[in-house]
Amino acid sequence: MTDQHKQQQSYRFSEAPLWKIQQEYYEEKGMKAWDNDQVPQYITSNPMIAAAYADMIFGFLQDRVNQEGSSDEPVYIVELGAGAGRFAYHVIQELCQLRDLAGSSLPPFRYIMTDYAMSNVKAWREHPALQPLVAEGLLDFARFDAVTDTSLSLVESGTTIKPGDLKQPLLVIANYLFDSLPQELMYIGDGQTYEADVFVEYPADKDALNRTEVLNGISLSYEYRRTPHYEQENYPYRDVVALYQEQLEDSHVLFPEVGLGCLERLNDLSQSGFLLITADKGDHLLENWKFNDPPELIIHGSFSLTANFHAFQHVYERKGALVLFPPHHYKNINVGCILHVDHAQDYLQVKLAYRRAVERFGPDEFYSLKEWVDRHLESMGMQQLLSFWRLGGYDAEFFIYGTARISSLLPEANDEERQDLWRGIQLMWASNYVMEQRYDLALDIGLLLFEMDLYKESKRFLEISVKQNEDEVVSTVFYCLAICCFELEWNEEGLEYIRKLLQLEPDNEEALALLNEFY
């Protein structure tokens, strides 16, 4: 490879330019990073995983009452890298429903959405779905750098949370975070530890490329140098490294020194420890790091690597924490829980919630099932579609994907299925979170309700669609609105929609025929 085509330089892995490119990608893209799943969001943002987390959080709040009695001190729930905001919205909704159903005395909670990119914080503050939660005192925002920051400066309340300020344990949510923070890369061979330095090759014309193109053009190679750094007694994670030296051979190990440091800094904010709930492409089984090849970048707009959950597990079990990971192997996403508080083993509600929400059937199983459903949608009946939609928390993305299939099944649907479909639509609409990548959900709902002869309800949603897309209304919408009005005997309003249709299509025969019936 000539210098004309490639440039090459060696770096310590955690200091490679990859991390800066990734940071710049999120700062530049803002909310658009999640458009069309450039950066995956569904797997960690759907209502099902939000309900699983809410169940564990609710169990923790119950345990706090059982351990300490009732308290007016709020529990702060800090989501690191809150992204598009959809996950936070669903968690708060579900948590409020659990709180109201239980009717018991629980400590109050405050949810804090954080991100490195200030543009995302500004976008959350302006999102119409989040503003009522802010007004209710349930939600606040903060810019937080997981690599360096030691305090949380809340945007809405103006409060700064500093080390030692919190009496309740801090509840930390970290989805797709630890796989994206800078990591060390060590190589274990012959019982010794080596630093794996990386050579980064990228196109010579990288300045003319966007960041995703640069990442796609990058190739990595490694060289190894003996280092005593990880083997010194004062290295804070010496016990983990010693275990790797004993158990691993010819293995490349991504080590989350920055991620562990982040947890330590968050732990310092509270006098009582923390609960971490995390989901990632991450291995907690030591056997999966044996004979591990050098890491490869997984490109999805930015990039990610495998998170070393085994290191988190080992470090915090040695500290006496309750650490929960699935006993089975994960396929797409691994959900773990670390409870680092006094008497952690006595938090029975957290254990039970983890068993219900993750071990028995959790977000990983749901996503695997959804992949199957997406491939077999056209062979599913109405009951199967309704059942899966209910399992997924009446998710809008699944509804949009399945609308055509639902429509094709409507003629044979019985009254109970139609009633359940309408109930699901109402629940979905009440909990819908609009993202940067817009779908015309109101249009899909309105047209489906039209086919169900629910004319008043159809009219409501079709009018919402028209208002949201005033410059892009298709003639079919005005025709359906006119029919809705005529069926409801609102003839003058129906005629107005016919006139609007004819403005778009002066020769529309159906519209002209309807107009002739009245004149």
Side-chain angles (χ1 to χ4, degrees):
M1 188 70 66
T2 65
D3 290 340
Q4 182 179 357
H5 294 93
K6 293 284 183 180
Q7 300 171 353
Q8 189 182 69
Q9 188 175 342
S10 173
Y11 302 88
R12 190 180 183 197
F13 194 77
S14 62
E15 298 169 0
L18 308 169
W19 310 106
K20 187 173 188 297
I21 293 172
Q22 175 173 253
Q23 186 182 89
E24 291 171 346
Y25 171 85
Y26 284 111
E27 286 181 315
E28 178 184 287
K29 287 284 188 178
M31 286 294 168
K32 293 186 182 298
W34 291 273
D35 278 9
N36 302 309
D37 267 357
Q38 293 176 73
V39 176
Q41 58 82 26
Y42 179 85
I43 191 171
T44 55
S45 295
N46 64 76
M48 188 275 175
I49 189 173
Y53 276 51
D55 197 9
M56 289 184 276
I57 294 168
F58 182 70
F60 175 75
L61 296 177
Q62 290 177 305
D63 280 327
R64 288 302 295 169
V65 173
N66 295 335
Q67 294 290 319
E68 305 292 335
S70 60
S71 172
D72 294 330
E73 291 287 336
V75 172
Y76 282 88
I77 305 165
V78 176
E79 183 183 355
L80 304 177
R86 185 182 181 213
F87 174 82
Y89 177 70
H90 286 311
V91 168
I92 297 171
Q93 275 203 327
E94 185 70 21
L95 196 53
C96 287
Q97 290 182 34
L98 291 172
R99 176 198 63 189
D100 296 344
L101 281 170
S104 57
S105 177
L106 295 174
F109 64 87
R110 306 283 185 275
Y111 199 106
I112 314 299
M113 295 169 64
T114 76
D115 204 294
Y116 178 85
M118 193 63 194
S119 61
N120 288 345
V121 177
K122 292 177 180 176
W124 299 331
R125 296 188 72 192
E126 296 169 0
H127 198 291
L130 300 178
Q131 290 173 4
L133 302 177
V134 173
E136 198 176 338
L138 295 173
L139 179 63
D140 211 324
F141 314 106
R143 181 194 176 278
F144 184 77
D145 184 349
V147 178
T148 59
D149 283 352
T150 57
S151 63
L152 279 167
S153 296
L154 307 187
V155 172
E156 298 294 337
S157 67
T159 303
T160 297
I161 301 173
K162 301 183 294 296
D165 279 355
L166 303 181
K167 295 181 181 178
Q168 294 275 22
L170 184 67
L171 205 155
V172 181
I173 293 173
N175 293 339
Y176 276 158
L177 178 88
F178 294 121
D179 68 338
S180 301
L181 292 179
Q183 301 184 61
E184 308 303 330
L185 179 59
M186 62 179 70
Y187 174 76
I188 309 295
D190 298 325
Q192 294 187 315
T193 308
Y194 297 82
E195 189 85 50
D197 291 330
V198 59
F199 284 93
V200 180
E201 294 186 62
Y202 42 86
D205 60 345
K206 67 182 178 66
D207 293 337
L209 304 175
N210 65 42
R211 287 169 179 81
T212 301
E213 291 168 336
V214 170
L215 289 171
N216 273 313
I218 278 176
S219 60
L220 308 178
S221 57
Y222 301 91
E223 69 176 13
Y224 307 93
R225 56 184 169 84
R226 185 79 175 90
T227 173
H229 170 67
Y230 300 114
E231 300 169 13
Q232 294 175 350
E233 289 302 320
N234 61 353
Y235 181 64
Y237 311 114
R238 176 72 190 103
D239 288 344
V240 194
V241 176
L243 179 67
Y244 292 165
Q245 289 176 285
E246 178 185 333
Q247 298 289 329
L248 300 181
E249 180 62 37
D250 190 19
S251 302
H252 294 79
V253 179
L254 287 161
F255 196 79
E257 193 170 305
V258 170
L260 288 163
C262 174
L263 283 186
E264 290 170 7
R265 284 179 277 111
L266 290 170
N267 179 63
D268 289 342
L269 297 179
S270 170
Q271 303 169 22
S272 305
F274 68 84
L275 167 64
L276 168 70
I277 309 176
T278 181
D280 223 319
K281 302 190 310 296
D283 278 320
H284 65 283
L285 301 172
L286 185 59
E287 64 193 54
N288 290 341
W289 293 97
K290 290 181 179 178
F291 306 107
N292 202 44
D293 291 331
E296 294 184 6
L297 302 183
I298 307 301
I299 307 296
H300 39 63
S302 62
F303 75 91
S304 61
L305 298 161
T306 300
N308 184 351
F309 278 159
H310 175 269
F312 287 94
Q313 179 176 22
H314 186 87
V315 167
Y316 278 96
E317 282 183 341
R318 300 272 297 191
K319 293 175 182 284
L322 170 68
V323 181
L324 302 172
F325 280 98
H328 51 269
H329 296 85
Y330 81 100
K331 173 64 176 173
N332 295 290
I333 193 167
N334 197 0
V335 180
C337 178
I338 298 176
L339 181 60
H340 180 51
V341 297
D342 291 339
H343 311 294
Q345 296 295 333
D346 295 336
Y347 281 63
L348 300 181
Q349 296 303 323
V350 170
K351 293 181 185 178
L352 289 171
Y354 186 85
R355 181 175 182 271
R356 287 191 304 270
V358 179
E359 279 191 24
R360 294 191 66 197
F361 181 88
D364 186 45
E365 287 76 19
F366 173 75
Y367 189 75
S368 294
L369 185 58
K370 182 183 181 297
E371 289 184 314
W372 184 92
V373 168
D374 287 347
R375 293 193 301 270
H376 297 84
L377 192 68
E378 293 306 312
S379 64
M380 294 176 69
M382 184 67 83
Q383 273 301 316
Q384 288 75 41
L385 285 168
L386 290 173
S387 297
F388 183 76
W389 191 32
R390 190 178 302 120
L391 177 66
Y394 297 104
D395 174 47
E397 288 192 33
F398 177 71
F399 176 83
I400 291 163
Y401 184 71
T403 299
R405 178 59 180 166
I406 294 170
S407 174
S408 71
L409 294 170
L410 270 179
E412 303 301 323
N414 59 42
D415 289 343
E416 289 82 3
E417 290 170 337
R418 287 169 172 258
Q419 289 170 12
D420 286 348
L421 178 57
W422 170 225
R423 178 179 179 272
I425 286 171
Q426 294 175 83
L427 292 169
M428 174 185 67
W429 184 256
S431 64
N432 184 45
Y433 182 86
V434 178
M435 294 176 57
E436 185 75 24
Q437 174 190 345
R438 285 180 175 270
Y439 298 107
D440 197 344
L441 181 62
L443 177 62
D444 285 344
I445 293 173
L447 294 176
L448 202 59
L449 294 175
F450 183 83
E451 294 179 52
M452 295 167 66
D453 300 332
L454 296 174
Y455 297 113
K456 186 176 181 180
E457 294 82 1
S458 173
K459 179 176 181 291
R460 174 194 164 202
F461 284 100
L462 291 177
E463 287 178 336
I464 291 171
S465 174
V466 169
K467 186 175 181 181
Q468 291 176 343
N469 305 278
E470 291 179 346
D471 299 328
E472 300 176 2
V473 181
V474 295
S475 58
T476 304
V477 175
F478 285 137
Y479 180 79
C480 291
L481 279 166
I483 296 298
C484 288
C485 291
F486 294 145
E487 291 287 344
L488 295 166
E489 299 184 353
W490 298 343
N491 293 341
E492 286 302 320
E493 193 174 353
L495 288 169
E496 184 59 31
Y497 281 121
I498 289 295
R499 295 185 187 101
K500 289 181 178 180
L501 189 160
L502 289 170
Q503 288 176 6
L504 293 177
E505 295 184 15
D507 298 325
N508 188 292
E509 294 181 1
E510 291 177 311
L512 290 169
L514 281 170
L515 197 61
N516 288 335
E517 289 185 20
F518 288 89
Y519 296 101

